[in-house]
Amino acid sequence: MKRFLIFPALFPPLALVVFTAPDGFKNLLDWMVMAYAIAVIPALLLAWVDWALSAKPFRVMGTAVIAALAAVLIVRFLSGGSEELWPVLMVGLVGGVPAAACSWLSDKSPLAVN
């Protein structure tokens, strides 16, 4: 059950780092509160997905793919979407990279007992 602590704690700052990386991490600390406000609920949902995939050998990749697809679908729905590849790829990375890291850490981290 440590994944329900790891995902809400680490997913928002990791997503923010991936989001601000192309701009050179400008205003990183200014966005930290907003990152937690936006990403805690998706992080908890992804922790549940990771838990559901915990017995599968492709758990980390599966969680990352689901997070990337969810991020792309949410942004396309809210903004009307873009047909260009770069924005879609960046949004997918903002969802997928932190989810993969949190999924991997939830299996390796000695924070709590399963």
Side-chain angles (χ1 to χ4, degrees), residues 2 20 23 33 39 42-45 48 58-59 61 68 71 73 77 81 84 91 95 102-103 109 114:
K2 60 187 163 189
T20 59
D23 292 333
V33 173
L44 287 171
L45 292 172
W48 178 79
F58 55 86
R59 176 182 54 88
M61 186 185 312
L73 290 174
F77 175 75
E84 297 179 28
V91 168
C102 290
S103 178
S109 177
N114 275 335

Side-chain angles (χ1 to χ4, degrees), residues 16-105:
L16 181 62
V17 166
V18 174
F19 180 75
T20 59
D23 292 333
F25 306 107
K26 293 179 183 173
N27 303 323
L28 184 68
L29 294 176
D30 296 338
W31 282 86
M32 191 62 71
V33 173
M34 188 64 74
Y36 275 100
I38 292 170
V40 166
I41 291 175
L44 287 171
L45 292 172
L46 287 170
W48 178 79
V49 167
D50 189 60
W51 175 73
L53 295 175
S54 63
K56 307 288 187 212
F58 55 86
R59 176 182 54 88
V60 174
M61 186 185 312
T63 304
V65 168
I66 290 172
L69 287 174
V72 168
L73 290 174
I74 289 168
V75 168
R76 286 188 60 98
F77 175 75
L78 292 176
S79 69
S82 173
E83 300 302 324
E84 297 179 28
L85 179 63
W86 182 250
V88 172
L89 179 63
M90 286 306 299
V91 168
L93 287 174
V94 168
V97 171
C102 290
S103 178
W104 180 75
L105 283 173

